[in-house]
Amino acid sequence: MAAPRWARRSRGHVRGGAGGRHVTPGAPESCDRLPGLPRRERCPVRGSVGARGMVAMGTPLPLLFLPFLLLPPAAAAARAAGPGLEERLFQQVRDHFSFQTCGNETFPQRYLVSAKFWKKGFGPIFFYTGNEGDIWTFAQNSDFIFELAEEQQALVIFAEHRYYGKSLPFGLESTQLKKTHLLTVEQALADYAVLITELKQQYGAADCPVIAFGGSYGGMLSAYMRMKYPNIVAGALAASAPLLSVAGLGDPTQFFRDVTADFQKSSPGCVTAVRRAFQQIRDLCLSGAYDEISSKMATCNKISSKEDVYQLFGFARNAFTMMAMMDYPYKTDFMGHLPANPVKVGCEQILAHRDPVQGLAALVGVFYNSSGSAQCYDIYQLYQSCADPTGCGTGPDAEAWDYQVCTEINLTFNSNNVTDMFPEMPFTEAMREQYCQSKWHVRPRARWLQTNFWGGDLKSASNIIFSNGDLDPWARGGINSSLSPSLIALTVKGGAHHLDLRDRHKCATACSDHSGEVVQGLLALATSLQARSRGQQPPMQGRARGSQACLPTSCWV
């Protein structure tokens, strides 16, 4: 869902991972019906990170004496992100829920910290709950948090999610079979809870309130932190967090229907042209004209079978997904190099071509060939199917996400060529189970998040702002109506995927009104919590413009 997801969100991943064999969730039977049918260790072995150059892991350490490691200045200086960020490592417990000896084994969890704006001992702590990728990627694309930190004199922390980036519980072997069992939402949340507790002690910040921030999957985690650890996290901003979709709630056709709607809003003729292009490819497939498909779509290797055509469809659909998610009003390098308003640019590309298939090749090039230097598309290298129909990405991070969407995270979206513009590509729960069993030897728990994290029944939670952009195809899978005076849902008009976490000064009119609402709510929360921690009376109640529920201090509990 995210994502960045991130260097992950380049939406293709290296073959291998769990045993080396890539397993495709669906396989076509014929061109006229391309979608076809889908064809713990008790105590982990101790090891060393080795090639990563990190400290050795596997040594049991007392929980109360976990050391903090500061990377050499050159390592931190090599990165350019938010003001004053330093990269550090924390010896994190591998398994928070085991009381056996192996439960005390540790691994180096990476986090970033900036005290540049912090009023020591008094300012709040802004804690970013890292999602499925390198933590620097999120820090470099969350300027809003630093802007707010300067206003509120806050300590800023970005924590990397286990199994992603450099936070690898079993080093380079972390995504191998029998090493993935500690990759769960619950373990990640416990990591964050332990890290926050230890850092508050280290910084002398026992009375400083913690506000969690996150976008996409990270937004889910920020909400879950407030729900699961309200004693540690006082409030949360959950941006573009698809809490309902991942819990198996909602319509499986919603996502690609909303991607289609984004392109329809940009140009009504765009969707018609896209449908025509996919239909022409299907017709060429039926006639066996694979060479013509290859030529017009500029594939590096010749299309030679219905399986190749099905792969081409997934490859193309993935570009639309990424362009809709990253439809920012300015150019970005987040999850790919994209121009400002990529949906509009893509529609202009396809409409400029008389041949619809060549136009489709130009449209997907907005994402896959932003530099204009690629001579052809390697459709198997640039995109690989996985248990997330919206894409898993490339490399080890993609493997980790694939495992997560095979266990707790439910993303059984499909396109049907009726409510959306894409070829019919089903992804049923049965197909997901078959894929996950074959690749990871696991069976998904489709209802687990409803049980463990409340599904859509969140009314007993408090102090969470749910924000969604109306251009974001993930939005309808999240919370879009306020549930109580302290569970606020806000909409970013003209906003794509967690646009509100980005630099608000770049947004211009696209998100200025919403940024004001979010700032007002979070400042009210921070002010209220700080006042109460000192035994003072919180300021008077107010009401945010455009919100049905109040965002003032007296609404927060």
Side-chain angles (χ1 to χ4, degrees), residues 487-509:
L487 292 173
I488 312 301
L490 298 175
T491 299
V492 187
K493 293 185 178 180
H497 202 48
H498 49 73
L499 175 68
D500 48 318
L501 289 181
R502 302 175 65 81
D503 186 345
R504 54 180 156 160
H505 301 299
K506 290 184 179 179
C507 293
T509 58

Side-chain angles (χ1 to χ4, degrees), residues 45-182:
V45 177
R46 298 179 182 178
S48 172
V49 180
R52 286 267 171 172
M54 293 184 179
V55 297
M57 63 184 183
T59 304
L61 292 174
L63 182 59
L64 296 178
F65 297 95
L66 298 178
F68 294 84
L69 302 178
L70 177 62
L71 290 184
R79 301 282 191 162
L85 276 179
E86 294 180 344
E87 179 176 312
R88 298 182 180 181
L89 298 176
F90 172 65
Q91 285 302 310
Q92 185 61 263
V93 176
R94 263 191 193 163
D95 186 354
H96 296 281
F97 308 109
S98 171
F99 294 94
Q100 301 172 19
T101 303
C102 57
N104 289 327
E105 293 176 350
T106 64
F107 72 96
Q109 179 183 13
R110 181 167 59 167
Y111 70 98
L112 315 177
V113 61
S114 172
K116 180 174 181 178
F117 305 121
W118 189 43
K119 185 176 182 181
K120 185 174 176 59
F122 290 90
I125 298 172
F126 292 168
F127 186 90
Y128 187 94
T129 50
N131 22 341
E132 66 286 34
D134 188 303
I135 193 58
W136 279 103
T137 302
F138 305 110
Q140 290 164 344
N141 290 277
S142 300
D143 288 347
F144 170 71
I145 296 175
F146 295 98
E147 294 164 8
L148 190 58
E150 184 172 11
E151 294 174 10
Q152 279 295 292
Q153 299 177 302
L155 179 69
V156 177
I157 301 167
F158 281 76
E160 191 163 70
H161 193 298
R162 59 169 53 207
Y163 283 84
Y164 294 98
K166 293 183 178 179
S167 300
L168 305 175
F170 298 97
L172 297 179
E173 298 179 351
S174 293
T175 55
Q176 293 185 4
L177 289 176
K178 296 187 178 181
K179 296 294 177 66
T180 54
H181 62 290
L182 297 179

Side-chain angles (χ1 to χ4, degrees), residues 170-446:
F170 298 97
L172 297 179
E173 298 179 351
S174 293
T175 55
Q176 293 185 4
L177 289 176
K178 296 187 178 181
K179 296 294 177 66
T180 54
H181 62 290
L182 297 179
L183 175 52
T184 66
V185 172
E186 295 80 1
Q187 294 280 3
L189 295 178
D191 288 343
Y192 298 152
V194 169
L195 181 60
I196 292 171
T197 302
E198 294 292 327
L199 287 176
K200 289 186 76 173
Q201 181 178 3
Q202 183 194 37
Y203 279 88
D207 295 328
C208 298
V210 177
I211 300 177
F213 290 77
S216 195
Y217 171 51
M220 292 165 45
L221 295 176
S222 70
Y224 291 163
M225 280 298 293
R226 171 59 188 168
M227 294 158 60
K228 200 80 169 180
Y229 297 99
N231 58 315
I232 295 175
V233 171
L237 170 61
S240 301
L243 291 162
L244 303 181
S245 291
V246 299
L249 302 170
D251 181 357
T253 68
Q254 167 265 315
F255 186 87
F256 292 110
R257 182 180 68 235
D258 287 352
V259 172
T260 300
D262 284 347
F263 284 82
Q264 180 73 18
K265 290 175 188 175
S266 178
S267 173
C270 186
V271 169
T272 300
V274 171
R275 286 183 180 274
R276 189 181 301 122
F278 282 124
Q279 183 59 52
Q280 186 177 111
I281 293 174
R282 185 184 297 273
D283 292 343
L284 290 170
C285 177
L286 283 168
S287 65
Y290 293 127
D291 287 348
E292 187 173 349
I293 297 174
S294 302
S295 175
K296 290 183 175 181
M297 283 300 295
T299 61
C300 296
N301 299 306
K302 286 188 176 182
I303 302 293
S304 61
S305 67
K306 57 185 180 294
E307 289 82 9
D308 288 344
V309 175
Y310 193 73
Q311 175 69 16
L312 178 67
F313 283 164
F315 159 85
R317 188 180 71 174
N318 181 70
F320 286 91
T321 295
M322 294 305 303
M323 292 162 67
M325 287 175 57
M326 299 297 105
D327 196 20
Y328 297 147
Y330 49 81
K331 66 179 181 179
T332 180
D333 292 328
F334 185 47
M335 299 158 51
H337 304 288
L338 288 172
N341 305 301
V343 169
K344 178 177 180 291
V345 174
C347 285
E348 291 172 348
Q349 288 291 325
I350 193 169
L351 293 173
H353 286 75
R354 291 186 177 181
D355 186 285
V357 178
Q358 291 179 334
L360 179 64
L363 186 154
V364 302
V366 174
F367 175 64
Y368 289 116
N369 187 24
S370 58
S371 67
S373 61
Q375 299 300 309
C376 60
Y377 299 124
D378 187 332
I379 62 175
Y380 283 96
Q381 181 179 357
L382 292 170
Y383 172 78
Q384 286 194 359
S385 56
C386 64
D388 178 355
T390 73
C392 277
T394 59
D397 288 344
E399 292 293 306
W401 182 247
D402 190 33
Y403 177 82
Q404 285 200 263
V405 289
C406 269
T407 50
E408 298 177 293
I409 308 293
N410 301 277
L411 294 173
T412 51
F413 296 124
N414 62 73
S415 57
N416 56 27
N417 200 232
V418 177
T419 60
D420 57 65
M421 62 185 170
F422 303 107
E424 183 183 357
M425 300 180 73
F427 188 59
T428 64
E429 193 58 51
M431 293 169 69
R432 178 191 179 208
E433 284 194 15
Q434 182 175 344
Y435 168 83
C436 295
Q437 181 61 45
S438 177
K439 181 170 184 180
W440 296 107
H441 302 176
V442 296
R443 182 177 181 180
R445 293 184 180 177

